[in-house]
Amino acid sequence: MKKFIYLFLIVIFSCEKDDICSGTTQTTPRLVIEFYNISAPDEILAVPGLFAYGLDAEDLEVPINNEIVTTRSSITLPLKTDDILTRFKLYKSYDEVDGVTNGNPDTIKITYDTENVYVSRACGYKTNFDIQTFSISSDTDQWMISSEILITKITNENEIHVKILH
Amino acid sequence: MNLQAQQDSIPTVDSLIVKNKYGLRLGIDLSKLARTYLESDYNGYEMNADYRIADKVYIAGEIGNEERTTSTEYLNSTAKGSYLKVGLDYNMYNNWAGMENMVYSGLRFGISNFDQTLNSYTIYDTSSSTWGQTLIFESEKFKGLSATWIELVFGFKAEVLNNVFVGVNVQIKGRLSEVRPNNFESIYIPGFGRTFDSGNFGVGFGYNISYLVPLFKKAKK
């Protein structure tokens, strides 16, 4: 009988952990972009002062959670789970002094299909993406020259989905 | 011949013969009725029966129907269906003469057939602060689901009035098989209870009232 009571307590305490989606579980993945050297396309090349904003339908800048200005060779961007198109403004050499923004912004546009996939009781569903197109809007001072989709199916953040040459 | 001789040699200490009641005990689960009345997301009933086949052994079973809506932060679903449990109860209690109380442990095999409707869900997205959360309200019904399990039961039954028993029991279950919905899973299984991410186990309890239909009396060995 004692053993049974212990077992019952174990079961009750294990409920709690079961109802919380673990941080290590891969839920809705973000898009991972890596930057390469245009003159040596196999070489990774960091972008100085890289910073990203989301762009909504009215072309307004939407701040991305945890996004900070850093020199880095890759960026992870959240796609809209309720849409099939997301745009981002990527700044090179971003700087903001007294409300005046400096830097070179380029806009990227990703179109994709979505699929909602069941994960677990605690995490519910995640959205996977299937990239259809990836484009860089051309402008007179474009720093991103070309792009290549490496993996169309976005199911996790451990792989590079798109390569950008600059 | 030898056996006969042995039995004959046992001296009779007491000539009083204790007779136990044998019969069919029929009952209902009061906790399920109470929950049906009190909880807006639960509807269910259970009927149970046992039949004494030996001094300490009963064939026992339950049959029931449950409808349960489970709502978590990210999922809202309703399971609805019927179940059947059959097995044995073993009475561990030594009754005084003429009493029929039970402190028992039991084993059951359970089977459930049910449907599950996914009412709505929110996409789990740790970066939802950028674009907002996506709620999906397209309800989807998954039919023809089933599960089987084994169950360990511990409980007691006390005779409170002549032939009327009240009992409490707890159940620990282990799922054996399951027909799962496509791109979803069974969040609640009628008769089995809620499921867990970390394993095939389940827990349950019952609060029963039952009536013994006495059929015959048999001397206690």
Side-chain angles (χ1 to χ4, degrees):
Chain A
M1 203 65 182
K2 226 174 200 174
K3 257 184 199 167
F4 161 68
I5 289 165
Y6 286 140
L7 183 61
F8 196 70
L9 287 177
I10 289 165
V11 167
I12 284 170
F13 283 120
S14 55
C15 300
E16 225 170 311
K17 124 178 174 274
D18 261 79
D19 288 332
I20 297 164
C21 183
S22 152
T24 56
T25 306
Q26 177 66 64
T27 51
T28 300
R30 290 171 297 174
L31 170 72
V32 184
I33 298 173
E34 195 157 49
F35 296 93
Y36 286 78
N37 190 344
I38 184 73
S39 37
D42 290 333
E43 262 176 40
I44 292 167
L45 181 63
V47 179
L50 179 64
F51 187 63
Y53 274 116
L55 269 187
D56 69 10
E58 282 87 42
D59 277 342
L60 295 173
E61 290 180 345
V62 178
I64 296 167
N65 202 24
N66 296 326
E67 175 68 7
I68 43 167
V69 186
T70 42
T71 297
R72 61 203 137 142
S73 60
S74 74
I75 193 166
T76 313
L77 300 167
L79 299 177
K80 292 180 191 171
T81 52
D82 61 346
D83 207 342
I84 52 162
L85 185 159
T86 307
R87 291 185 306 149
F88 295 97
K89 201 186 262 188
L90 300 189
Y91 282 87
K92 182 186 178 179
S93 310
Y94 183 91
D95 189 25
E96 197 182 303
V97 183
D98 299 329
V100 180
T101 303
N102 291 305
N104 182 359
D106 279 3
T107 301
I108 56 169
K109 185 171 100 175
I110 309 104
T111 65
Y112 47 85
D113 291 338
T114 61
E115 188 192 8
N116 297 333
V117 177
Y118 185 73
V119 181
S120 65
R121 185 191 168 95
C123 306
Y125 284 81
K126 67 168 182 167
T127 300
N128 284 341
F129 307 95
D130 192 357
I131 307 175
Q132 300 297 307
T133 64
F134 185 95
S135 56
I136 303 159
S137 302
S138 54
D139 65 36
T140 50
D141 186 21
Q142 199 176 322
W143 64 271
M144 291 185 275
I145 308 303
S146 68
S147 64
E148 187 190 339
I149 300 168
L150 301 178
I151 296 163
T152 55
K153 292 216 185 298
I154 306 175
T155 58
N156 65 70
E157 297 177 1
N158 307 324
E159 44 198 21
I160 310 293
H161 308 113
V162 173
K163 176 176 175 176
I164 285 180
L165 298 170
H166 72 109
Chain B
M1 286 307 281
N2 218 350
L3 189 73
Q4 191 72 40
Q6 260 184 357
Q7 275 184 350
D8 286 344
S9 68
I10 295 170
T12 33
V13 181
D14 194 346
S15 60
L16 178 73
I17 297 166
V18 176
K19 285 198 164 184
N20 285 328
K21 283 188 249 184
Y22 279 65
L24 182 67
R25 181 160 37 195
L26 297 166
I28 52 161
D29 187 327
L30 290 177
S31 65
K32 289 185 165 59
L33 291 182
R35 289 180 63 197
T36 299
Y37 181 70
L38 295 170
E39 295 176 23
S40 60
D41 51 7
Y42 182 87
N43 266 298
Y45 63 85
E46 180 184 283
M47 289 175 287
N48 46 62
D50 65 4
Y51 182 80
R52 191 173 190 174
I53 53 167
D55 184 33
K56 291 186 171 299
V57 185
Y58 298 72
I59 293 177
E62 290 85 20
I63 188 163
N65 190 288
E66 283 187 308
E67 179 179 354
R68 169 91 164 124
T69 297
T70 308
S71 184
T72 66
E73 221 174 317
Y74 296 96
L75 285 173
N76 185 299
S77 66
T78 306
K80 187 182 181 180
S82 312
Y83 63 92
L84 173 72
K85 300 193 251 185
V86 286
L88 294 172
D89 283 340
Y90 181 82
N91 191 2
M92 301 180 288
Y93 189 68
N94 287 317
N95 276 298
W96 288 5
M99 293 180 77
E100 310 283 351
N101 298 321
M102 283 178 86
V103 175
Y104 65 96
S105 67
L107 191 68
R108 298 282 187 281
F109 173 79
I111 183 163
S112 179
N113 282 298
F114 59 102
D115 295 339
Q116 190 173 244
T117 306
L118 176 61
N119 303 313
S120 65
Y121 61 98
T122 304
I123 297 292
Y124 197 96
D125 184 2
T126 49
S127 345
S128 64
S129 58
T130 306
W131 301 114
Q133 288 193 319
T134 302
L135 268 76
I136 293 171
F137 283 103
E138 293 160 29
S139 132
E140 193 179 346
K141 192 170 187 175
F142 302 90
K143 289 184 175 182
L145 307 177
S146 67
T148 61
W149 67 92
I150 52 160
E151 191 170 301
L152 276 171
V153 188
F154 297 89
F156 69 82
K157 286 175 188 171
E159 190 170 9
V160 288
L161 293 167
N162 188 32
N163 293 331
V164 176
F165 293 77
V166 292
V168 176
N169 68 76
V170 288
Q171 307 137 19
I172 294 183
K173 313 164 198 225
R175 206 151 62 242
L176 299 172
S177 73
E178 204 182 345
V179 174
R180 287 168 63 137
N182 187 29
N183 197 27
F184 195 29
E185 74 176 326
S186 299
I187 297 293
Y188 189 91
I189 298 169
F192 181 87
R194 65 155 289 181
T195 59
F196 294 87
D197 279 340
S198 52
N200 289 331
F201 59 93
V203 289
F205 75 98
Y207 182 81
N208 304 319
I209 186 159
S210 51
Y211 181 77
L212 175 67
V213 183
L215 298 177
F216 59 92
K217 286 190 175 185
K218 204 164 148 182
K220 190 179 178 180
K221 277 169 203 163

